[in-house]
Amino acid sequence: MKALLKKSQGFEGVDLDEIQEPITKSNEIKVKVYAAGICGTDLHIIHDEYPYTPPVAMGHEYSGTVVEVGEEVEKFQIGDRVVSLTAIVTCGSCRYCNQGLLMLCEHRKSIGSGVHGAFAEYIVIPAKSAYKIPENISLDEAVLTEPLACAVRCIMERGRVNGGDFVLISGPGTIGLLALQVVKANGGNCIVIGTSHDKERLNLALEMGAMAVIDVEEENSEERLMALTKQQGFDVAIECAGVSISLNNCIKLLRKQGMLIQMGLFGKKIEFDSDLSLIKELNYVNGFATEPTSWEIALRLLEYKHVDVLPLISNKLSIDNWQEAIHLAEQKVGYKTLLLPNT
Ligand SMILES: [Zn+2]
Ligand SMILES: [Zn+2]
């Protein structure tokens, strides 16, 4: 089968190749991948900024249809539409596994980095890692379940938004716009910030229910932001851009004892104003991808229409055009770029 592999260092180490189709074990299901989203993490893997075990098929945000079911599996049938957790290999006995924290397992391997992922025609996963897609959700929309679950993990499980909170979202990309909708579902007032490059994204943020959007490069942006919070500062700031200036803006604009939620991955060491964060007694939380509970909440948010992911799907390309797809993702053309391995 076709698979987009990261084989070795650098962009030259990425190649569309033929690999053997995976074999389905008794507790597993085999899924024909419909589409897989290109995530910032995939780009970090391509540039060797995120750990991976080569050669590995990248891709961890996907949806597909079950084509084979192991003999012990009762939960799924051929034809079921599914999504799955990323942390599919875990030891089951470390302190984190015992708490159900699969991403933190000492021996975890995730699809797309540690084991073959979804930039491939088929993927085989343990049945216990998979979830049925609600009937009213399309396969296109379901691809976004994983990044939505990341937002749920950070904002609802690790962090917290109270009704009426002033919430700053820094970075109006896919993650920022998912975070916006999760915050709205929790009753927060969202203000989204970006730069002059983000005009269209900021407009979409308004359409998705942001209370205000502000280009931080414009004059008096800080004063305007503080005025929006009645000079109190933000209760919660969610860093979604993965750049240090954005993190420092969050620290500056938070109120004392506010909550800083880190969602963006920087891909390198960065500088931030640690003393200001200390003086304000900020609560700093982050989240490493998702846990099973995050998926259940994410699927419910989708099913009951608290979140609309359709406007975030911008590009759909056959895996044969993977170079162009990666280019679109790197240049941040639109929002999500999907690779179709079977088209
Ligand atoms: Zn992702
Ligand atoms: Zn473990």
Side-chain angles (χ1 to χ4, degrees):
M1 66 170 184
K2 267 188 261 182
L4 184 59
L5 301 176
K6 173 73 172 169
K7 294 171 161 177
S8 57
Q9 292 262 313
F11 192 74
E12 311 75 56
V14 181
D15 198 14
L16 183 65
D17 222 338
E18 279 291 325
I19 59 170
Q20 209 167 13
E21 249 180 67
I23 297 175
T24 315
K25 295 200 204 90
S26 60
N27 62 341
E28 292 178 333
I29 55 175
K30 182 172 174 180
V31 178
K32 184 174 181 184
V33 176
Y34 163 70
I38 301 178
C39 171
T41 307
D42 297 306
L43 301 179
H44 284 303
I45 289 172
I46 288 171
H47 297 293
D48 308 294
E49 296 163 346
Y50 185 90
Y52 62 94
T53 315
V56 69
M58 296 176 288
H60 59 273
E61 305 174 356
Y62 74 99
S63 66
T65 307
V66 177
V67 290
E68 227 173 83
V69 178
E71 60 259 32
E72 285 171 36
V73 176
E74 290 172 352
K75 214 169 109 189
F76 295 101
Q77 292 178 328
I78 289 173
D80 282 345
R81 304 179 316 144
V82 294
V83 288
S84 84
L85 295 180
T86 48
I88 63 161
V89 181
T90 49
C91 76
S93 59
C94 71
R95 65 180 288 177
Y96 304 105
C97 281
N98 286 336
Q99 293 179 74
L101 297 170
L102 307 184
M103 275 309 286
L104 303 183
C105 169
E106 306 284 3
H107 307 284
R108 169 190 60 87
K109 285 186 188 153
S110 289
I111 55 170
S113 55
V115 291
H116 283 324
F119 291 168
E121 289 177 64
Y122 298 95
I123 183 168
V124 160
I125 46 163
K128 65 171 195 243
S129 306
Y131 297 87
K132 276 187 199 156
I133 299 169
E135 268 171 35
N136 61 343
I137 300 302
S138 67
L139 284 171
D140 278 315
E141 294 169 280
V143 175
L144 276 288
T145 313
E146 196 275 342
L148 175 61
C150 289
V152 165
R153 176 81 188 141
C154 271
I155 297 164
M156 294 174 67
E157 300 191 312
R158 298 274 296 149
R160 177 173 170 169
V161 170
N162 293 310
D165 273 356
F166 290 116
V167 181
L168 179 73
I169 294 180
S170 181
T174 306
I175 284 292
L177 294 174
L178 290 172
L180 157 67
Q181 296 186 66
V182 172
V183 169
K184 288 277 298 172
N186 283 273
N189 300 311
C190 272
I191 292 139
V192 182
I193 57 175
T195 65
S196 53
H197 298 290
D198 295 321
K199 282 227 154 43
E200 259 176 55
R201 291 159 184 261
L202 292 173
N203 282 337
L204 182 54
L206 276 179
E207 277 169 37
M208 287 179 163
M211 179 180 129
V213 296
I214 285 188
D215 171 351
V216 289
E217 290 169 356
E218 282 174 6
E219 238 176 281
N220 304 327
S221 61
E222 203 177 319
E223 289 79 356
R224 282 158 57 211
L225 283 160
M226 288 305 285
L228 285 165
T229 69
K230 304 186 193 302
Q231 308 302 336
Q232 300 285 304
F234 286 86
D235 301 292
V236 179
I238 308 174
E239 199 296 304
C240 300
V243 289
S244 82
I245 186 166
S246 159
L247 174 60
N248 284 301
N249 280 336
C250 289
I251 292 170
K252 202 164 29 167
L253 292 161
L254 275 165
R255 69 167 168 82
K256 290 175 184 170
Q257 292 203 326
M259 177 174 284
L260 175 58
I261 299 177
Q262 181 63 47
M263 285 211 66
L265 195 61
F266 297 101
K268 59 180 178 208
K269 290 186 180 154
I270 49 112
E271 274 186 27
F272 76 101
D273 195 337
S274 163
D275 284 354
L276 182 58
S277 151
L278 178 151
I279 290 163
K280 287 189 170 183
E281 293 193 344
L282 297 183
N283 296 300
Y284 183 81
V285 300
N286 46 28
F288 185 33
T290 60
E291 296 295 353
T293 46
S294 342
W295 284 76
E296 280 167 27
I297 297 169
L299 285 166
R300 244 186 270 167
L301 289 174
L302 285 172
E303 181 173 2
Y304 295 101
K305 306 293 175 194
H306 293 283
V307 173
D308 181 10
V309 297
L310 269 182
L312 300 176
I313 300 169
S314 308
N315 315 299
K316 283 163 72 172
L317 288 90
S318 160
I319 202 165
D320 295 330
N321 302 325
W322 62 273
Q323 277 150 314
E324 188 188 342
I326 288 172
H327 180 75
L328 290 171
E330 298 225 79
Q331 297 305 312
K332 300 193 195 319
V333 177
Y335 301 93
K336 220 13 124 179
T337 295
L338 306 190
L339 275 180
L340 307 178
N342 283 289
T343 312

Short mmCIF file of all heavy atoms in Angstrom, two decimals, residues 170-204:
data_model
loop_
_atom_site.label_atom_id
_atom_site.label_comp_id
_atom_site.label_asym_id
_atom_site.label_seq_id
_atom_site.Cartn_x
_atom_site.Cartn_y
_atom_site.Cartn_z
N SER A 170 -4.59 33.61 21.50
CA SER A 170 -3.51 34.19 20.71
C SER A 170 -3.12 33.23 19.60
O SER A 170 -2.56 32.16 19.86
CB SER A 170 -2.31 34.48 21.62
OG SER A 170 -1.28 35.06 20.85
N GLY A 171 -3.45 33.61 18.36
CA GLY A 171 -3.14 32.75 17.21
C GLY A 171 -4.42 32.15 16.64
O GLY A 171 -4.92 31.18 17.19
N PRO A 172 -4.95 32.74 15.53
CA PRO A 172 -6.23 32.27 15.00
C PRO A 172 -6.09 31.20 13.91
O PRO A 172 -6.80 31.22 12.92
CB PRO A 172 -6.84 33.55 14.43
CG PRO A 172 -5.66 34.37 14.01
CD PRO A 172 -4.49 33.97 14.85
N GLY A 173 -5.20 30.25 14.09
CA GLY A 173 -5.10 29.12 13.15
C GLY A 173 -6.15 28.07 13.51
O GLY A 173 -7.09 28.34 14.26
N THR A 174 -5.98 26.87 12.97
CA THR A 174 -6.95 25.80 13.22
C THR A 174 -7.15 25.58 14.71
O THR A 174 -8.27 25.52 15.20
CB THR A 174 -6.46 24.49 12.56
OG1 THR A 174 -6.20 24.77 11.19
CG2 THR A 174 -7.50 23.40 12.67
N ILE A 175 -6.04 25.45 15.46
CA ILE A 175 -6.15 25.17 16.90
C ILE A 175 -6.82 26.34 17.62
O ILE A 175 -7.69 26.14 18.47
CB ILE A 175 -4.75 24.87 17.49
CG1 ILE A 175 -4.32 23.44 17.10
CG2 ILE A 175 -4.72 25.03 18.99
CD1 ILE A 175 -5.14 22.33 17.76
N GLY A 176 -6.44 27.56 17.25
CA GLY A 176 -7.03 28.74 17.90
C GLY A 176 -8.54 28.80 17.67
O GLY A 176 -9.31 29.11 18.58
N LEU A 177 -8.97 28.47 16.44
CA LEU A 177 -10.40 28.56 16.13
C LEU A 177 -11.18 27.40 16.75
O LEU A 177 -12.37 27.53 17.05
CB LEU A 177 -10.61 28.65 14.62
CG LEU A 177 -10.05 29.95 14.01
CD1 LEU A 177 -10.14 29.93 12.49
CD2 LEU A 177 -10.77 31.18 14.56
N LEU A 178 -10.52 26.27 16.96
CA LEU A 178 -11.16 25.18 17.71
C LEU A 178 -11.25 25.57 19.19
O LEU A 178 -12.28 25.38 19.84
CB LEU A 178 -10.38 23.87 17.56
CG LEU A 178 -10.43 23.21 16.18
CD1 LEU A 178 -9.46 22.04 16.10
CD2 LEU A 178 -11.85 22.72 15.87
N ALA A 179 -10.15 26.15 19.70
CA ALA A 179 -10.13 26.60 21.11
C ALA A 179 -11.26 27.61 21.34
O ALA A 179 -11.98 27.53 22.34
CB ALA A 179 -8.78 27.21 21.45
N LEU A 180 -11.41 28.54 20.40
CA LEU A 180 -12.47 29.54 20.50
C LEU A 180 -13.84 28.88 20.70
O LEU A 180 -14.62 29.26 21.57
CB LEU A 180 -12.47 30.38 19.21
CG LEU A 180 -13.75 31.12 18.80
CD1 LEU A 180 -14.09 32.23 19.77
CD2 LEU A 180 -13.60 31.70 17.40
N GLN A 181 -14.10 27.84 19.90
CA GLN A 181 -15.43 27.21 19.98
C GLN A 181 -15.60 26.42 21.28
O GLN A 181 -16.69 26.35 21.84
CB GLN A 181 -15.64 26.32 18.76
CG GLN A 181 -15.66 27.14 17.47
CD GLN A 181 -16.03 26.29 16.26
OE1 GLN A 181 -17.14 25.80 16.15
NE2 GLN A 181 -15.09 26.10 15.36
N VAL A 182 -14.50 25.82 21.77
CA VAL A 182 -14.58 25.10 23.04
C VAL A 182 -14.82 26.10 24.18
O VAL A 182 -15.63 25.85 25.09
CB VAL A 182 -13.29 24.27 23.29
CG1 VAL A 182 -13.27 23.68 24.69
CG2 VAL A 182 -13.17 23.16 22.24
N VAL A 183 -14.14 27.24 24.13
CA VAL A 183 -14.34 28.27 25.16
C VAL A 183 -15.78 28.77 25.13
O VAL A 183 -16.43 28.91 26.17
CB VAL A 183 -13.35 29.44 24.95
CG1 VAL A 183 -13.71 30.63 25.84
CG2 VAL A 183 -11.92 28.98 25.24
N LYS A 184 -16.30 29.01 23.92
CA LYS A 184 -17.70 29.45 23.78
C LYS A 184 -18.66 28.42 24.39
O LYS A 184 -19.61 28.79 25.07
CB LYS A 184 -18.05 29.62 22.29
CG LYS A 184 -17.42 30.81 21.62
CD LYS A 184 -18.17 32.11 21.84
CE LYS A 184 -19.58 32.03 21.27
NZ LYS A 184 -20.37 33.22 21.67
N ALA A 185 -18.38 27.16 24.12
CA ALA A 185 -19.25 26.09 24.65
C ALA A 185 -19.24 26.09 26.18
O ALA A 185 -20.17 25.60 26.81
CB ALA A 185 -18.81 24.73 24.10
N ASN A 186 -18.16 26.62 26.76
CA ASN A 186 -18.04 26.69 28.22
C ASN A 186 -18.49 28.05 28.79
O ASN A 186 -18.32 28.31 29.97
CB ASN A 186 -16.60 26.40 28.65
CG ASN A 186 -16.29 24.92 28.59
OD1 ASN A 186 -16.53 24.18 29.54
ND2 ASN A 186 -15.79 24.45 27.46
N GLY A 187 -18.99 28.91 27.93
CA GLY A 187 -19.55 30.17 28.41
C GLY A 187 -18.56 31.31 28.57
O GLY A 187 -18.88 32.33 29.19
N GLY A 188 -17.37 31.18 27.98
CA GLY A 188 -16.38 32.25 28.08
C GLY A 188 -16.58 33.31 27.01
O GLY A 188 -17.18 33.06 25.96
N ASN A 189 -16.11 34.52 27.28
CA ASN A 189 -16.10 35.61 26.29
C ASN A 189 -14.74 35.60 25.60
O ASN A 189 -13.72 35.83 26.24
CB ASN A 189 -16.27 36.97 26.97
CG ASN A 189 -17.57 37.05 27.74
OD1 ASN A 189 -18.63 36.72 27.22
ND2 ASN A 189 -17.49 37.48 28.99
N CYS A 190 -14.74 35.33 24.29
CA CYS A 190 -13.47 35.15 23.57
C CYS A 190 -13.03 36.39 22.85
O CYS A 190 -13.81 36.99 22.09
CB CYS A 190 -13.66 34.10 22.49
SG CYS A 190 -13.35 32.50 23.09
N ILE A 191 -11.77 36.73 23.03
CA ILE A 191 -11.16 37.78 22.24
C ILE A 191 -9.94 37.15 21.56
O ILE A 191 -9.10 36.53 22.23
CB ILE A 191 -10.79 38.98 23.11
CG1 ILE A 191 -12.10 39.63 23.60
CG2 ILE A 191 -9.96 39.99 22.34
CD1 ILE A 191 -12.10 40.08 24.98
N VAL A 192 -9.90 37.25 20.23
CA VAL A 192 -8.86 36.55 19.48
C VAL A 192 -7.88 37.58 18.93
O VAL A 192 -8.29 38.60 18.38
CB VAL A 192 -9.48 35.73 18.32
CG1 VAL A 192 -8.40 34.96 17.57
CG2 VAL A 192 -10.54 34.77 18.86
N ILE A 193 -6.58 37.31 19.10
CA ILE A 193 -5.58 38.22 18.56
C ILE A 193 -4.72 37.51 17.51
O ILE A 193 -4.51 36.30 17.55
CB ILE A 193 -4.67 38.84 19.66
CG1 ILE A 193 -3.97 37.75 20.49
CG2 ILE A 193 -5.48 39.75 20.57
CD1 ILE A 193 -2.98 38.31 21.51
N GLY A 194 -4.26 38.31 16.55
CA GLY A 194 -3.40 37.80 15.50
C GLY A 194 -2.59 38.95 14.94
O GLY A 194 -2.53 40.03 15.56
N THR A 195 -1.99 38.74 13.77
CA THR A 195 -1.18 39.79 13.16
C THR A 195 -1.83 40.22 11.83
O THR A 195 -2.89 39.72 11.47
CB THR A 195 0.25 39.28 12.87
OG1 THR A 195 0.15 38.25 11.89
CG2 THR A 195 0.92 38.74 14.12
N SER A 196 -1.15 41.10 11.11
CA SER A 196 -1.70 41.60 9.84
C SER A 196 -1.86 40.47 8.83
O SER A 196 -2.64 40.59 7.88
CB SER A 196 -0.81 42.71 9.29
OG SER A 196 0.52 42.25 9.20
N HIS A 197 -1.14 39.37 9.01
CA HIS A 197 -1.29 38.22 8.09
C HIS A 197 -2.58 37.45 8.35
O HIS A 197 -2.94 36.57 7.58
CB HIS A 197 -0.12 37.24 8.27
CG HIS A 197 1.20 37.85 7.94
ND1 HIS A 197 1.56 38.17 6.65
CD2 HIS A 197 2.24 38.21 8.73
CE1 HIS A 197 2.77 38.70 6.67
NE2 HIS A 197 3.20 38.74 7.91
N ASP A 198 -3.21 37.75 9.47
CA ASP A 198 -4.34 36.91 9.91
C ASP A 198 -5.70 37.51 9.63
O ASP A 198 -6.69 37.06 10.22
CB ASP A 198 -4.22 36.65 11.44
CG ASP A 198 -3.00 35.83 11.80
OD1 ASP A 198 -2.68 34.90 11.04
OD2 ASP A 198 -2.37 36.12 12.83
N LYS A 199 -5.77 38.51 8.75
CA LYS A 199 -7.05 39.23 8.54
C LYS A 199 -8.23 38.28 8.33
O LYS A 199 -9.25 38.38 9.01
CB LYS A 199 -6.94 40.18 7.34
CG LYS A 199 -6.19 41.46 7.68
CD LYS A 199 -6.88 42.71 7.20
CE LYS A 199 -6.53 43.93 8.02
NZ LYS A 199 -5.10 44.07 8.37
N GLU A 200 -8.06 37.35 7.36
CA GLU A 200 -9.17 36.43 7.05
C GLU A 200 -9.49 35.55 8.24
O GLU A 200 -10.66 35.27 8.53
CB GLU A 200 -8.77 35.54 5.88
CG GLU A 200 -9.36 35.97 4.57
CD GLU A 200 -8.86 35.10 3.43
OE1 GLU A 200 -9.02 33.87 3.53
OE2 GLU A 200 -8.30 35.67 2.48
N ARG A 201 -8.45 35.09 8.92
CA ARG A 201 -8.64 34.21 10.08
C ARG A 201 -9.38 34.93 11.19
O ARG A 201 -10.25 34.36 11.85
CB ARG A 201 -7.28 33.73 10.60
CG ARG A 201 -6.60 32.79 9.64
CD ARG A 201 -5.10 32.72 9.86
NE ARG A 201 -4.53 31.86 8.83
CZ ARG A 201 -4.20 30.60 9.02
NH1 ARG A 201 -4.34 30.05 10.21
NH2 ARG A 201 -3.73 29.86 8.04
N LEU A 202 -9.02 36.19 11.39
CA LEU A 202 -9.70 36.96 12.43
C LEU A 202 -11.16 37.18 12.07
O LEU A 202 -12.04 37.14 12.93
CB LEU A 202 -8.96 38.28 12.68
CG LEU A 202 -7.57 38.14 13.32
CD1 LEU A 202 -6.85 39.48 13.36
CD2 LEU A 202 -7.64 37.55 14.73
N ASN A 203 -11.44 37.37 10.78
CA ASN A 203 -12.84 37.50 10.35
C ASN A 203 -13.62 36.23 10.63
O ASN A 203 -14.77 36.27 11.07
CB ASN A 203 -12.93 37.83 8.86
CG ASN A 203 -12.64 39.30 8.60
OD1 ASN A 203 -12.79 40.13 9.51
ND2 ASN A 203 -12.20 39.63 7.41
N LEU A 204 -12.99 35.08 10.36
CA LEU A 204 -13.67 33.82 10.63
C LEU A 204 -13.91 33.66 12.14
O LEU A 204 -14.96 33.15 12.56
CB LEU A 204 -12.85 32.64 10.08
CG LEU A 204 -13.46 31.25 10.24
CD1 LEU A 204 -14.87 31.17 9.65
CD2 LEU A 204 -12.58 30.18 9.58
#
